[in-house]
């Protein structure tokens, strides 16, 4: 059986931010590839350039050196979820979800139909007309995930989407995100500070060094899917966690 061809190539990528002291070297050089429908987590200490890397991949920030190329031509359709849900407070759940489709000028009825499908996918039936102020943190992040998925992106970028949630809600959202990924099979690159989160969700974990972030470890997560809460208490999960912790330290 042949391995799938990567759809994303990052080669010798570096980012320097200008400042008054000759510039800040934030990231790189880093080189890696991501295959279709692969779930990759990026782990590392604060300031290692994780969020910078996502912004370059999304086309929101230019690279200083190096290249980002996609197998199927120019910039693909990308969904991006930030640490905060960033919902529009005056728009309902359904209206927040349809925003990307409105920007693409999809007819209103078709947009609402797609949003209704996403409501069911993320488990928010009955909350279609609710405003963000009436949602819990986990529910708001489900809306943000649905909004990022509604225009059927080839690649989904997640920048610590559960970082602001309490521990119990965060762990529930791991299961929800894993279920969504299994359902939609998107290529996902997710930034996290959590070793457990990375191992529960990812096929591979890239560990970045302290600034400027360079790849210290590219770890394959050979845990069975679908993953349940019990996998976190297995010996193999513990061995993988120790490898990641040693790489970060």
């Amino acid at each position: 059986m042949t391995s799938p061809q990567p759809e994303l190539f990052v080669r010798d990528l570096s980012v320097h931010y200008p400042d008054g002291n000759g510039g800040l070297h934030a990231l790189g050089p880093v080189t890696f590839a991501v295959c279709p429908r692969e779930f990759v987590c990026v782990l590392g200490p604060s300031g290692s350039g994780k969020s910078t890397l996502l912004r370059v991949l999304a086309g929101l920030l230019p690279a200083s050196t190096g290249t980002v190329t996609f197998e199927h031509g120019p910039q693909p359709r990308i969904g991006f979820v930030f640490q905060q849900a960033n919902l529009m407070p005056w728009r309902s759940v359904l209206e927040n979800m349809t925003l990307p489709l409105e920007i693409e000028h999809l007819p209103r009825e078709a947009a609402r139909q797609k949003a209704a499908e996403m409501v069911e996918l993320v488990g928010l039936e009955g909350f279609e007309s609710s405003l963000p102020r009436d949602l819990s943190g986990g529910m708001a992040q489900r809306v943000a995930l649905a909004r990022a998925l509604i225009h059927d992106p080839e690649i989904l970028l997640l920048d610590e989407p559960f970082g602001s949630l309490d521990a119990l809600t965060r762990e529930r959202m791991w299961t929800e995100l894993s279920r969504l990924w299994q359902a939609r099979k998107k290529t996902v690159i997710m930034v996290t500070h959590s070793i457990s989160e990375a191992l529960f969700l990812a096929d591979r974990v890239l560990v970045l060094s302290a600034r400027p972030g360079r790849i210290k470890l590219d770890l394959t997560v050979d845990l069975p899917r679908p993953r349940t809460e019990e996998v976190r208490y297995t010996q193999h999960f513990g061995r993988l966690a120790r490898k990641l912790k040693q790489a970060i330290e």
Side-chain angles (χ1 to χ4, degrees):
M1 182 177 177
T2 58
S3 299
Q5 289 297 310
E7 68 172 331
L8 165 65
F9 297 89
V10 177
R11 296 182 177 92
D12 298 320
L13 181 72
S14 291
V15 176
H16 297 256
Y17 291 110
D19 63 17
N21 299 310
L24 175 68
H25 187 183
L27 176 69
V30 294
T31 296
F32 63 93
V34 179
C35 290
R37 296 175 295 283
E38 191 172 23
F39 198 126
V40 177
C41 277
V42 182
L43 191 65
S46 295
S48 59
K50 302 184 297 296
S51 294
T52 295
L53 173 62
L54 281 199
R55 281 159 174 75
V56 173
L57 298 181
L60 302 175
L61 181 71
S64 301
T65 61
T67 59
V68 176
T69 55
F70 300 95
E71 178 67 15
H72 303 297
Q75 185 87 4
R77 197 182 291 257
I78 287 177
F80 204 131
V81 180
F82 297 90
Q83 183 169 341
Q84 301 296 331
N86 295 324
L87 304 180
M88 292 186 173
W90 61 89
R91 296 178 68 117
S92 69
V93 164
L94 208 66
E95 290 166 343
N96 267 287
M97 288 182 186
T98 58
L99 184 60
L101 303 180
E102 292 172 26
I103 293 171
E104 294 179 353
H105 304 293
L106 193 73
R108 186 170 182 271
E109 193 53 44
R112 290 184 69 84
Q113 178 59 41
K114 280 182 171 287
E117 294 169 6
M118 295 306 304
V119 164
E120 183 177 355
L121 182 68
V122 300
L124 286 175
E125 298 96 329
F127 293 92
E128 293 88 342
S129 300
S130 299
L131 293 174
R133 66 169 181 256
D134 301 319
L135 304 177
S136 67
M139 292 168 71
Q141 282 301 81
R142 290 189 197 188
V143 179
L145 280 166
R147 183 178 60 189
L149 287 168
I150 198 167
H151 66 320
D152 196 26
E154 284 92 2
I155 297 176
L156 182 63
L157 304 177
L158 307 174
D159 191 0
E160 293 194 76
F162 311 135
S164 62
L165 304 179
D166 65 84
L168 290 177
T169 302
R170 182 172 185 156
E171 290 178 10
R172 283 198 296 270
M173 289 303 295
W174 298 351
T175 302
E176 286 298 306
L177 178 56
S178 183
R179 179 181 62 80
L180 288 173
W181 177 79
Q182 294 276 7
R184 288 298 174 106
K185 287 294 185 183
K186 298 298 180 185
T187 304
V188 178
I189 304 173
M190 176 176 172
V191 161
T192 178
H193 277 102
S194 168
I195 289 173
S196 291
E197 184 169 87
L199 288 177
F200 188 86
L201 290 168
D203 298 311
R204 285 166 60 207
V205 182
L206 304 179
V207 179
L208 296 186
S209 66
R211 189 175 63 235
R214 294 180 172 89
I215 295 175
K216 292 182 67 178
L217 178 66
D218 184 341
L219 179 72
T220 298
V221 182
D222 54 348
L223 295 168
R225 292 191 184 274
R227 293 176 191 160
T228 62
E229 177 73 13
E230 287 69 31
V231 76
R232 296 172 57 204
Y233 306 105
T234 62
Q235 289 185 350
H236 190 46
F237 191 98
R239 284 192 292 269
L240 293 174
R242 283 192 292 275
K243 284 185 180 181
L244 292 177
K245 191 170 188 299
Q246 289 166 0
I248 293 170
E249 293 174 344

